[in-house]
Amino acid sequence: MSLLEERWRGVLDGMAEAVRRAGREAGSVRLVAVSKFHPASDIAELCRLGQLDFGENYVQEARAKQAELDGLGIRWHAIGPVQTNKAKEVAGRFFLLHTLDRADLARALLRRLPEGETQDVLLQINIGEEPQKSGVAPSGAEALCEELLKGGLVSSEGPGLRLRGLMCLPPRCGEGEEARPYFAALRQLRDELSQKTGLSLPELSMGMSGDYRQAIEEGSTMIRVGTDIFGPRPVKA
Ligand SMILES: *Cc1c(COP(=O)(O)O)cnc(C)c1O
């Protein structure tokens, strides 16, 4: 077994154990393998083993890998910040965009989405209100949701942008228990938003190497794990 396969299986085991410990249903958490900076050959190897969800941060890198790995049935997740002028490269081209955080990006995506198609999105929440991080502040999330809904920019059904839930990259991420309170806060915010807007928001994208067990215990439905699967990231050339 290759080191890559061994690491990947280790994460699957860790996930399954956390799911069990939390008393959750087997299969209720999706593993998104974060492949940024790693070669397409690593992605192809995991793909052959049955790993089909991959996360990329940079639109250009993701688009190049999509072209190279076309036809393998990969579900690509866009998990990095998206500039409005890149909307054309994202709309309709990813299984899920995790980082919608403003109305002007929603407008740009919708404009670029082919008629009749659906692009699933998550709202990125800056759960620790850190100035350097993207995402809408928790206190602004309801207003953004209302703006997106009233403007017809998102809905709970397709076609168009379909809002599926929330994502966060908390302070102290990757640090196990330090991150847990932020995961709990994201879940609570989801429950509140869901109640206030009538949207079901079933997905919570939270947890990475170093804290995915805690995230699963706090209700994550999607963990984004890079280092624990692929090893340390090569330095970007
Ligand atoms: C890089 C990245 C990850 C994966 O981080 P690891 O610590 O390598 O598991 C998860 N989420 C986002 C948004 C990232 O940018």
Side-chain angles (χ1 to χ4, degrees):
M1 200 189 299
S2 70
L3 179 57
L4 180 60
E5 177 172 357
E6 210 171 291
R7 285 197 185 114
W8 173 68
R9 293 199 184 281
V11 172
L12 289 181
D13 289 347
M15 272 177 84
E17 190 196 312
V19 165
R20 248 192 332 269
R21 213 174 30 237
R24 297 180 56 187
E25 223 172 291
S28 57
V29 183
R30 183 190 298 266
L31 171 60
V32 178
V34 177
S35 44
K36 60 181 179 232
F37 304 172
H38 292 286
S41 55
D42 282 2
I43 298 176
E45 180 180 345
L46 289 180
C47 202
R48 282 192 295 273
L49 297 170
Q51 172 66 38
L52 290 178
D53 290 275
F54 290 90
E56 288 282 341
N57 287 60
Y58 302 95
V59 175
Q60 225 171 340
E61 182 182 352
R63 299 281 294 132
K65 286 173 174 170
Q66 286 178 344
E68 192 172 344
L69 299 166
D70 190 31
L72 296 181
I74 293 176
R75 293 183 288 265
W76 295 99
H77 296 249
I79 66 169
V82 176
Q83 291 174 298
T84 307
N85 65 12
K86 294 272 171 62
K88 178 171 176 279
E89 295 300 316
V90 174
R93 301 183 191 276
F94 286 83
F95 175 74
L96 180 64
L97 167 67
H98 292 230
T99 55
L100 180 64
D101 62 357
R102 55 196 196 277
D104 79 314
L105 178 59
R107 254 176 238 116
L109 289 165
L110 203 52
R111 222 172 16 242
R112 298 301 195 162
L113 189 66
E115 184 75 31
E117 285 190 21
T118 299
Q119 172 65 63
D120 283 347
V121 299
L122 303 179
L123 276 191
Q124 183 176 0
I125 308 292
N126 187 354
I127 197 72
E129 310 205 33
E130 299 168 280
Q132 79 281 14
K133 274 196 188 150
S134 19
V136 60
S139 58
E142 188 187 345
L144 178 58
C145 265
E146 293 295 349
E147 183 183 3
L148 294 172
L149 283 168
K150 291 204 177 107
L153 299 172
V154 303
S155 64
S156 53
E157 306 291 331
L161 303 184
R162 187 165 69 153
L163 185 53
R164 300 287 298 154
L166 307 181
M167 174 271 208
C168 76
L169 193 58
R172 316 297 299 272
C173 54
E175 293 182 45
E177 292 301 324
E178 305 293 329
R180 186 191 291 275
Y182 298 103
F183 297 144
L186 192 73
R187 184 186 51 188
Q188 195 183 343
L189 178 65
R190 187 274 308 275
D191 294 348
E192 287 166 16
L193 278 179
S194 186
Q195 203 182 22
K196 285 175 178 158
T197 63
L199 291 164
S200 79
L201 305 175
E203 303 288 354
L204 287 175
S205 166
M206 56 188 197
M208 50 205 277
S209 303
D211 62 21
Y212 68 83
R213 292 172 182 82
Q214 287 80 8
I216 289 170
E217 288 171 11
E218 298 300 332
S220 174
T221 64
M222 272 181 213
I223 58 173
R224 310 176 309 266
V225 179
T227 310
D228 278 5
I229 296 175
F230 294 99
R233 275 183 279 282
V235 180
K236 204 181 177 191

